[in-house]
């Protein structure tokens, strides 16, 4: 059985491959990457490294040839990713892939969250292929907050427009391990997993940062307008600011407030505690 991971030189993909290699011989693992040189360490370990660029659909048909179980990792190119992901789904069908797992977003089918639309359409395209699938609806990486944690360590307050919105934070490593379990395991055909940790408010999340760092951290709940000017003052590109504000609004409206046991069930253990992951982030920043 040949298992393939796309985006394997990215942060999530590389963790998925590492998790897979713990249970699966390297001969059975393949990756599709846009720069095979970046994956040289994997080819040295016996992983089948293939070139595949989501902007070159024909490269994907070749890359996916002979693959039984494929993980399509959503790309981060927000302007083009829908087209890219649809190209990957089509290529998977043309290459007769036997199973598609896809890193989606919370409640993708119904969510109004700005980030969900591309995922909803990609999920629909996957279903339409008739290929057995697993939608891995990843909630919010704890690691998304590294920049804000760094700012807190430099004495900044925690500025947020999320209000009472809760987020089902989990570590990128836990999402990766769950993906590897689905890829290498059985019984996941036509499944939708809402992968999330226990939802936290910003105050609850920041209390853990305060505990870990031994500092008092002020949470400043601001409106969208103030949030936009704070982002501008810290040097965010102006073109990005409406998008960042929309994300805050989506989180405030509960876009990531998902209660689900799917992640611990798949992992066969509790998700890594927020405190442990934040502790690791803080240690890495302080090194
Ligand atoms: N749930 C969350 O909180 C959250 C947060 C951030 C992102 N995401 C989503 O989850 C995905 C994985 O997260 P991540 O942290 O691993 O992001 P990442 O490190 O940016 O990885 C994205 C991967 O997509 C690959 N990629 C981009 N454009 C491509 C193209 N045209 N053809 C082929 N591959 C392409 C990149 O290839 P290279 O290695 O060559 O750059 C990279 O491997 C992101 O892309 C995004 O869709 C989710």
């Amino acid at each position: 059985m040949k298992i393939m991971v796309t985006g394997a030189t990215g942060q999530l993909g590389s963790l998925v491959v590492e998790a897979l290699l713990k249970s699966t011989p390297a001969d059975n693992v393949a990756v599709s990457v846009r720069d095979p040189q970046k994956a040289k360490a994997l080819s040295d370990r016996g992983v089948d490294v293939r070139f595949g660029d989501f902007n070159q659909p024909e490269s994907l048909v070749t890359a996916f040839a002979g693959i039984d179980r494929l993980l399509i990792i959503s790309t981060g190119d927000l302007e083009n990713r829908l087209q890219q992901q649809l190209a990957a789904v089509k290529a998977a069908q043309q290459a007769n892939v036997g199973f598609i797992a896809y890193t989606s977003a919370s409640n993708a089918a119904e969510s109004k969250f700005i980030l969900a639309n591309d995922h909803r359409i990609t999920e629909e395209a996957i279903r339409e292929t008739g290929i057995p699938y697993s939608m891995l609806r990843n909630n919010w990486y704890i690691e998304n907050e590294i920049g804000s944690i760094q700012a807190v360590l430099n004495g900044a307050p925690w500025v947020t427009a999320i209000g009472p919105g809760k987020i089902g934070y989990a570590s990128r490593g836990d999402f990766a391990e769950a993906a590897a379990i689905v890829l290498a395991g059985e019984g996941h055909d036509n499944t939708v997993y809402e992968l999330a940790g226990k939802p936290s408010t910003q105050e609850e999340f920041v209390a853990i940062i305060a505990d870990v760092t031994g500092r008092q951290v002020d949470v400043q709940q601001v409106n969208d307008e103030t949030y936009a000017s704070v982002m501008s003052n810290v040097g965010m590109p102006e073109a990005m600011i409406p998008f960042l504000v929309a994300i805050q609004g989506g989180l405030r409206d509960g876009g990531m407030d998902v209660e689900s046991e799917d992640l611990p069930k798949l992992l066969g253990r509790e998700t890594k505690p927020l405190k442990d992951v934040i502790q690791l982030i803080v240690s890495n920043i302080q090194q």
Side-chain angles (χ1 to χ4, degrees), residues 2 17 21 26-27 29-31 39 41-49:
K2 197 102 169 178
V17 174
L21 288 173
D27 286 358
V29 178
V31 296
L42 290 178
S43 58
D44 289 348
R45 290 161 71 190
V47 172
D48 181 357
V49 175

Side-chain angles (χ1 to χ4, degrees), residues 7-13 34-35 38 52-55 73-76 81 84 103 119 138-141 144 172:
T9 44
Q11 299 172 91
L12 179 72
R34 57 180 170 175
D35 180 1
K38 262 174 86 179
D53 186 331
F54 282 31
N55 290 326
I73 293 191
S74 52
T75 68
R81 77 168 173 190
Q84 293 171 337
T103 61
H119 292 295
N138 291 342
N139 202 287
W140 209 240
Y141 303 160
N144 292 342
R172 195 189 264 113

